[in-house]
Amino acid sequence: MSLGEFYPLIKHAHIGLAITSGSLFAVRGLAVLAGGRWATRSPVRHASMGIDTLLLVAALLLLFVLQLNPFAVAWLRVKLMLLVAYIVLGTFALKRARGTGARALFFIAALACFLMMYSVARTHNPLGLFA
C-alpha cells in the first residue's frame, strides 16, 4: 500500500482543516474586535495552532504524494506567499496591532489573503478569482 492511495483522504483532510482554520480565525478576529478575551486565551490559541499544524502536515503530504515543488509551480508559490502574508496580518489582527481600528484593518486584510488563497487553490491559477 502506497501513500498515493490515501490521496483522497489527505486532500479532504486538507480542505476540512483549511475551512476549520479559516473559520476559527474569523470567529477569533470578530471576538477580539468585540472585546472578547476568550479569543486570545491559551486553550483557544493552542487549538488553533494544533489545527494549523495538522493543516501543514496535510499540505506537505499532498506535495509529497503529487510530487510537486511549490517553488516551481506558480499557483503554489503564490499560495505560499499569501500564506505568509495571512500569518503576519493575522498576528497583528489578533494581538500586535494597537487599537481597534488597526486591528480591524489587519483582520480584513488577513481575511482577504485567506479568500485569495482559497481562490488560487480552487482555480490552480496564480490570479485566482481574477483569472
Side-chain angles (χ1 to χ4, degrees):
M1 184 175 283
S2 73
L3 194 56
E5 294 177 48
F6 293 100
Y7 169 76
L9 178 64
I10 298 166
K11 179 182 175 184
H12 290 300
H14 181 74
I15 292 168
L17 288 163
I19 291 167
T20 303
S21 176
S23 298
L24 181 57
F25 171 74
V27 169
R28 287 180 69 205
L30 290 172
V32 165
L33 292 174
R37 295 181 185 201
W38 67 267
T40 56
R41 291 214 169 109
S42 184
V44 177
R45 284 193 337 267
H46 287 113
S48 181
M49 288 188 298
I51 292 164
D52 291 344
T53 300
L54 291 173
L55 177 58
L56 177 61
V57 168
L60 292 173
L61 285 171
L62 285 173
L63 290 174
F64 180 77
V65 167
L66 297 173
Q67 298 182 351
L68 293 173
N69 177 351
F71 301 105
V73 179
W75 70 270
L76 284 173
R77 189 172 49 248
V78 168
K79 195 173 164 194
L80 278 176
M81 290 187 300
L82 286 165
L83 176 61
V84 171
Y86 170 69
I87 291 168
V88 171
L89 293 166
T91 300
F92 278 90
L94 294 178
K95 65 180 173 183
R96 297 202 188 282
R98 302 282 184 227
T100 305
R103 285 181 191 234
L105 288 175
F106 283 113
F107 178 64
I108 291 167
L111 286 178
C113 280
F114 181 84
L115 293 173
M116 189 63 186
M117 276 190 295
Y118 172 80
S119 75
V120 167
R122 291 288 298 161
T123 63
H124 289 191
N125 186 308
L127 298 176
L129 62 98
F130 299 109

